[in-house]
Amino acid sequence: MTNPETTAKPGINIDIKIIFILVLILAVYLPVLIDLVVDWYQDDNYSHGFLILPIAAWLIWRKRNELAETPTKMNNLGLLMAIGSLFLLIAGTAGAEYFTARVSFVGLLFSLCLYFFGWQFTRKIWFAFFFMLFMIPIPYVIYYAATFPMQLLASKVAGVVLNAIGLPLIRQGNILHIPNYTLEVAEACSGIRSLFSLLALGALFAYFTQDNKFKAVFLFLATVPIAIAGNVFRVTVTALGAHTVSIKFAEGTLHEISGLIVFVFSLILLFALGAILKWEKPEFKKLRS
């Protein structure tokens, strides 16, 4: 499916035809993109979406010199993938399935890059396309299917931690009863909100800090348990704040900064794991250099 190499000269050959296609894509996807931006604005779970496209554009821009020296050749596999992406757009639009239509936008950009510039070129910026996927909200059916199990998990683990440090409590599902307070781990406290933003951050962090691909994938996947651990930490701290300080403190100041607590705690875990994975014995480092 791959054409013989047609271009091997340095420089990114972007002609008027490609610019016209990009404008056409934006026109076709305009309703999809407008709905996406509205979701970023209205849904706090995806407010980080505003940052994804600028960061993806920067990821490509920082490779501009490397790309300019990369030979390009058309790859027909990209054309097939572009047709598949357009089919997803049609299917998603016909079924009012926003996720499919939005994924097709990223898929089409990747496919056209592969078609016009070839794999050698595209593989240098594949991560920018992958990173764009983090701007797309997951289907609500998956969101709600994951939320309640995460509420229960946070309640159970926090209950175990609080019992281990000597705080008596009774747990009923996602509700923790401590001597002077009843704490409900509500939907907003399930941790799924921080999971979305941490996944994007974890992908970026793994990409820039890990030379080894397996370690990078491991670090990225570790973002999920790290986000869960961060939420357990928040529930535990809230219960302790209500018991040891006051209910007003737990529901006021502590609740206001709880999102920041989760984020900072998760970042510390993420950076610590990244440093551990990156560490190697000095003798090995010397041999490698």
Side-chain angles (χ1 to χ4, degrees):
M1 297 303 299
T2 304
N3 284 338
E5 187 167 326
T6 56
T7 307
K9 60 184 180 182
I12 305 174
N13 185 22
I14 301 178
D15 59 25
I16 189 69
K17 180 175 66 179
I18 296 176
I19 295 173
F20 174 75
I21 289 174
L22 287 175
V23 172
L24 187 62
I25 289 172
L26 285 177
V28 170
Y29 278 90
L30 191 58
V32 175
L33 295 176
I34 289 174
D35 280 342
L36 183 59
V37 173
V38 170
D39 274 0
W40 296 344
Y41 182 74
Q42 294 181 340
D43 188 346
D44 290 340
N45 294 322
Y46 286 95
S47 55
H48 64 274
F50 286 105
L51 300 175
I52 299 294
L53 278 180
I55 292 175
W58 172 76
L59 288 168
I60 295 173
W61 175 254
R62 65 185 288 274
K63 294 266 188 179
R64 62 191 183 284
N65 294 332
E66 197 177 337
L67 293 174
E69 296 175 356
T70 303
T72 61
K73 62 178 179 180
M74 297 179 79
N75 187 320
N76 285 337
L77 178 61
L79 184 59
L80 288 178
M81 292 173 67
I83 293 170
S85 297
L86 288 173
F87 176 77
L88 285 180
L89 172 65
I90 294 169
T93 304
E97 214 297 300
Y98 297 137
F99 180 77
T100 305
R102 291 164 176 175
V103 166
S104 77
F105 173 72
V106 179
L108 186 59
L109 292 180
F110 176 85
S111 304
L112 291 178
C113 182
L114 179 62
Y115 175 63
F116 284 114
F117 300 114
W119 176 242
Q120 190 178 353
F121 184 98
T122 305
R123 69 189 292 269
K124 294 182 185 298
I125 52 174
W126 70 270
F127 181 75
F129 296 107
F130 172 71
F131 191 67
M132 286 182 203
L133 295 175
F134 293 106
M135 69 182 178
I136 301 173
I138 62 172
Y140 279 110
V141 64
I142 297 177
Y143 176 89
Y144 287 115
T147 299
F148 189 61
M150 289 184 70
Q151 287 175 256
L152 280 181
L153 180 62
S155 309
K156 283 180 184 175
V157 180
V160 170
V161 173
L162 289 166
N163 270 325
I165 59 179
L167 181 64
L169 64 87
I170 297 173
R171 184 181 66 83
Q172 290 180 311
N174 61 323
I175 298 175
L176 301 175
H177 299 283
I178 59 177
N180 63 333
Y181 189 56
T182 295
L183 174 63
E184 179 185 3
V185 181
E187 182 185 307
C189 304
S190 66
I192 200 165
R193 180 178 298 178
S194 55
L195 175 61
F196 294 140
S197 52
L198 276 171
L199 277 173
L201 189 60
L204 203 60
F205 183 65
Y207 176 72
F208 278 109
T209 61
Q210 302 300 318
D211 298 329
N212 184 296
K213 288 182 178 140
F214 291 104
K215 289 182 178 180
V217 171
F218 179 81
L219 182 58
F220 169 64
L221 294 178
T223 308
V224 176
I226 284 175
I228 292 172
N231 197 45
V232 168
F233 183 73
R234 169 166 58 179
V235 175
T236 304
V237 168
T238 302
L240 284 175
H243 183 68
T244 58
V245 182
S246 70
I247 294 174
K248 186 179 176 183
F249 171 69
E251 293 184 346
T253 306
L254 198 52
H255 186 263
E256 290 295 322
I257 63 170
S258 61
L260 183 62
I261 291 174
V262 172
F263 201 67
V264 171
F265 180 81
S266 302
L267 278 185
I268 291 171
L269 291 183
L270 188 65
F271 290 166
L273 181 60
I276 292 170
L277 290 173
K278 199 171 174 54
W279 184 84
E280 57 183 320
K281 287 185 175 180
E283 51 266 36
F284 289 159
K285 195 184 290 186
K286 196 178 294 181
L287 281 174
R288 214 153 57 90
S289 61

